[in-house]
């Protein structure tokens, strides 16, 4: 089930990335209108904001935390040095993330690796301590917009000091051209902006919060014997879904009307609401998915599992596909695809990824990047191909 849920998260992440790859995020209103062939792009953008923005990264982060708990449990059974292994694992992930970030500024792997080191502090915590730390992290994320606004008020920064969004648009424009060096330099500039955004928007705290929550879920063993936890999943869904729906119903138009910089009253409200509504929706997705799986939905959801089992390869290949399709170095389709077509394109590509992952895993034990990750982590030869019976 975890692999299928991870695949589901990757689908949402890819849909959310298409506007970035295709340049929709930096186009003017009139240019976007020209791409709206069906008159549905505004509705699609609103639906994407409501259903997807932030939720699938939160879900992916939750699964990372569950994975942490699983690895810790496995190391305990084997009597292995978990801390040493996990540090090596994160170090390799950081290296993979840095290579990926050199191609695309939207990389999350390096951030997961860096924030993942904080999880090492939790390896000896009791479940009670871990739960309290999780609650504290969520509380910190809730008040973070107030802290940022107070800091900006202290230093006297205003919109006249320059909007980072303008720098973002200028750098992103370089991707439409055929100049590789210019594109790489622009990407580097955007990597720096994204790093600042992780702090400014509180995204780093959001990731840590979901990591810790995932570790709690892993320690509780809710992923085992799903049918035994059906009532728990249903309860979580019916608590979190209304909070997520109502919260995002308010958040979506607020986000559309609120500039990202500088921090204003509406920006503070948006950030605080995001801290509640987005995790609630992600938990509703996870608990609803688990409940469906336990009630016979596995046969309809299992097609997502191969892509989730090869999550690193799937995620990185989505970047390569996006660059190939939309950048000037590839087919140069940036600025030519509307929101609806982009969403349908993402779904179609992901379906192909699932099919290809299924075929790959019939012959190989791991995805290629997963194999590299394990090989560098363990430092010993690891066979990639499955053993065939003579």
């Amino acid at each position: 089930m975890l692999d299928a849920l991870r695949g589901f998260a990757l689908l949402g992440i890819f849909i959310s990335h298409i506007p970035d790859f295709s340049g929709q995020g930096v186009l003017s209103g009139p240019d976007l209108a020209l791409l709206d062939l069906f008159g549905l792009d505004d509705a699609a953008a609103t639906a994407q904001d409501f259903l997807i923005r932030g939720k699938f990264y939160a879900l992916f982060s939750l699964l990372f935390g569950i994975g942490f708990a699983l690895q810790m449990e496995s190391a305990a059974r084997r009597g292995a040095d978990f801390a040493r292994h996990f540090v090596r694992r994160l170090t390799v992930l950081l290296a993979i993330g840095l290579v990926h970030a050199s191609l695309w500024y939207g990389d999350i792997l390096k951030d997961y690796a860096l924030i993942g080191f904080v999880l090492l502090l939790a390896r000896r915590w009791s479940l009670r301590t871990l739960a309290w730390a999780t609650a504290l992290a969520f509380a910190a994320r809730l008040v973070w917009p107030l802290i940022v606004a107070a800091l900006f008020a202290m230093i006297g920064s205003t919109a006249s000091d320059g909007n980072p969004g303008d720098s973002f648009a200028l750098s992103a424009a370089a991707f439409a051209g055929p100049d590789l060096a210019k594109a790489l330099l622009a990407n580097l500039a955007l990597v720096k902006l994204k790093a600042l955004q992780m702090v400014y928007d509180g995204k780093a705290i959001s990731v840590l919060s979901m990591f810790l929550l995932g570790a709690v879920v892993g320690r509780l063993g809710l992923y085992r014997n799903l049918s035994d936890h059906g009532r728990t999943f249903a309860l979580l869904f019916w608590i979190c879904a209304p909070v997520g729906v109502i919260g995002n119903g308010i958040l979506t138009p607020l986000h559309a009307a609120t500039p990202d910089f500088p921090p204003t009253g509406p920006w503070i409200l948006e950030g605080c609401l995001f801290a509640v509504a987005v995790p609630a929706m992600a938990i509703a997705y996870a608990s609803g998915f688990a409940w469906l799986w336990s009630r016979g939905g596995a046969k309809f959801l299992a097609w997502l599992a191969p892509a989730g089992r090869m999550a690193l390869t799937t995620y990185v290949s989505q970047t390569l596909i996006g660059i190939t399709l939309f950048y000037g170095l590839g087919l140069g389709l940036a600025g030519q695809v509307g929101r609806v077509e982009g969403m349908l394109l993402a779904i179609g590509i992901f379906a192909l990824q699932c099919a290809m992952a299924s075929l790959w895993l019939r012959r190989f034990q791991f995805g290629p990047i997963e194999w590299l990750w394990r090989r560098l982590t363990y430092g010993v030869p690891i066979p990639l191909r499955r053993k065939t019976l003579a």
Side-chain angles (χ1 to χ4, degrees), residues 68 72 81-84 118-126 130 219:
F68 166 79
M72 192 164 57
D81 184 347
F82 170 73
R84 183 171 180 270
V118 180
L119 281 177
L120 283 171
L121 299 173
R123 70 186 187 279
R124 293 193 177 95
W125 290 352
S126 67
L130 183 59
R219 290 280 292 275

Side-chain angles (χ1 to χ4, degrees), residues 70 73 77 218-229:
L70 286 172
E73 183 181 286
R77 285 197 305 268
R219 290 280 292 275
L220 289 172
L222 294 179
Y223 57 90
R224 298 194 189 96
N225 301 319
L226 296 180
S227 58
D228 294 342
H229 301 292

Side-chain angles (χ1 to χ4, degrees), residues 347-361:
I347 293 169
I349 291 172
F350 182 75
L352 287 174
Q353 284 188 301
C354 289
M356 293 179 68
S358 180
L359 291 173
W360 176 275
L361 290 172

Side-chain angles (χ1 to χ4, degrees), residues 105-108 110-111 114-115 141 144 148 151-152 155 157 161-165 167-168 171 187-205 260-261 263 267:
Y105 62 89
D107 168 79
I108 195 68
K110 67 184 185 310
D111 305 307
L114 292 171
I115 299 169
R141 175 61 184 88
W144 182 250
V148 170
L151 290 173
F152 270 76
I155 63 177
S157 180
D161 297 328
N163 187 343
S167 299
F168 183 95
S171 296
N187 187 75
L188 179 60
L190 292 179
V191 167
K192 296 175 182 177
L193 278 177
K194 278 289 185 179
L196 292 174
Q197 186 187 37
M198 287 288 291
V199 178
Y200 175 73
D201 286 345
K203 290 183 179 179
I205 305 175
D260 293 329
F261 186 86
W267 181 88

Side-chain angles (χ1 to χ4, degrees), residues 187-345:
N187 187 75
L188 179 60
L190 292 179
V191 167
K192 296 175 182 177
L193 278 177
K194 278 289 185 179
L196 292 174
Q197 186 187 37
M198 287 288 291
V199 178
Y200 175 73
D201 286 345
K203 290 183 179 179
I205 305 175
S206 294
V207 169
L208 178 60
S209 301
M210 296 305 290
F211 277 5
L212 292 170
L213 181 60
V216 170
V217 171
R219 290 280 292 275
L220 289 172
L222 294 179
Y223 57 90
R224 298 194 189 96
N225 301 319
L226 296 180
S227 58
D228 294 342
H229 301 292
R231 294 184 66 179
T232 300
F233 294 137
L235 179 63
L236 283 171
F237 177 83
W238 288 113
I239 290 174
C240 292
V243 174
V245 169
I246 295 171
N248 283 284
I250 301 170
L251 180 63
T252 298
L254 180 61
H255 172 68
T258 304
D260 293 329
F261 186 86
T264 59
W267 181 88
I268 294 171
L269 178 59
E270 180 194 349
C272 294
L273 191 55
F274 186 99
V276 176
V278 168
M281 190 75 97
I283 295 169
Y285 287 159
S287 56
F289 193 100
W291 185 86
L292 286 172
W293 187 279
S294 70
R295 291 296 185 271
K299 57 186 176 182
F300 302 108
L301 300 172
W303 68 277
L304 296 160
R309 187 174 170 189
M310 293 173 48
L312 263 181
T313 299
T314 301
Y315 176 71
V316 172
S317 65
Q318 287 173 352
T319 294
L320 298 178
I321 292 168
I323 289 174
T324 301
L325 288 176
F326 296 108
Y327 280 24
L329 296 166
L331 298 179
L333 296 179
Q336 300 180 45
V337 176
R339 181 77 65 158
V340 172
E341 301 99 295
M343 294 174 73
L344 294 174
L345 180 64

Side-chain angles (χ1 to χ4, degrees), residues 48-65:
Q48 180 172 321
D49 207 354
F50 178 84
L51 295 170
I52 295 176
R53 187 176 77 95
K55 289 82 173 174
F56 286 86
Y57 267 127
L59 182 56
F60 206 56
S61 302
L62 178 77
L63 289 163
F64 188 96

